[in-house]
Amino acid sequence: MAPIVRMLSPAALACLALALPASASAAAPCPDAGLMPVATNMAQVKTATLCLLNVERTSRGRAPLTSDGQLGKAAQAYSAKMVRLRFFDHVGPQGTTPTSRVRGGTSYLRGRTRSWSLGENIAWGSGELATPEAIVRSWMHSAGHRRNILDGSFRNIGIGVASGAPDDVQGQPAATYTTDFGFRGLR
């Protein structure tokens, strides 16, 4: 199974994202990469995030990820839960894990699945650090998150983005992201 890693603390993420140069190769081909997520543009934000992730993958010879509705369902529910319950961790307050959330809340691993792997990246940001470009940039500068993004065995992805943060952002706009990566071998 692919590694599941924790995101940096919000303060460390903010410092890291501000200190790192923007990736010209990642930002240029993806419309809406600089959008501030709000309730009315979440589909565009998710599309931009997938585009940015696929630019990172394809520029290194990996196959692009395809969006999967079942993984997206798990990712969206988890992002919303982290904002609603004000926590930030791969293990939920009731002990749920990425695997238990995908198995229990979706049909992604049901049916003819004979082998599988999952990985998860989570992040949140406020202000200009909440854009798809800033989030993907921070993941690419974190070894574990980068490993999930570039893992050639992953073929599918679900992206969840919720307005708000699991922490007090003093009224700034914010967004919380979950990406659930998957592979399943079918019989």
Side-chain angles (χ1 to χ4, degrees), residues 127-163:
E128 57 190 44
L129 298 179
T131 67
E133 182 177 25
I135 295 295
V136 171
R137 182 179 338 129
S138 69
W139 281 334
M140 289 304 293
H141 286 88
S142 165
H145 296 97
R146 180 183 175 100
R147 188 172 32 254
N148 278 344
I149 292 166
L150 299 179
D151 186 325
S153 69
F154 289 140
R155 295 289 184 242
N156 309 118
I157 190 169
I159 300 173
V161 183
S163 292

Side-chain angles (χ1 to χ4, degrees), residues 99-138:
T99 300
S100 68
R101 290 189 294 273
V102 169
R103 282 188 165 227
T106 76
S107 61
Y108 184 75
L109 297 176
R110 293 187 192 138
R112 303 175 344 170
T113 303
R114 67 174 162 73
S115 62
W116 57 272
S117 64
L118 296 171
E120 179 175 84
N121 287 353
I122 59 175
W124 70 269
S126 61
E128 57 190 44
L129 298 179
T131 67
E133 182 177 25
I135 295 295
V136 171
R137 182 179 338 129
S138 69

Side-chain angles (χ1 to χ4, degrees), residues 7-120:
M7 193 60 191
L8 298 170
S9 72
L13 176 61
C15 292
L16 179 64
L18 288 174
L20 299 171
S23 170
S25 64
C30 298
D32 302 324
L35 265 182
M36 175 60 61
V38 295
T40 57
N41 68 6
M42 289 302 180
Q44 294 161 279
V45 168
K46 291 176 188 180
T47 298
T49 303
L50 177 58
C51 177
L52 291 165
L53 293 171
N54 279 334
V55 166
E56 296 293 352
R57 286 176 62 90
T58 58
S59 70
R60 291 165 179 85
R62 304 323 189 273
L65 296 164
T66 58
S67 182
D68 181 89
Q70 293 299 304
L71 290 176
K73 178 180 172 183
Q76 186 61 45
Y78 200 59
S79 287
K81 186 175 200 168
M82 285 190 287
V83 171
R84 186 176 67 255
L85 298 181
R86 298 179 75 76
F87 75 95
F88 185 74
D89 200 315
H90 290 285
V91 179
Q94 295 82 28
T96 61
T97 65
T99 300
S100 68
R101 290 189 294 273
V102 169
R103 282 188 165 227
T106 76
S107 61
Y108 184 75
L109 297 176
R110 293 187 192 138
R112 303 175 344 170
T113 303
R114 67 174 162 73
S115 62
W116 57 272
S117 64
L118 296 171
E120 179 175 84

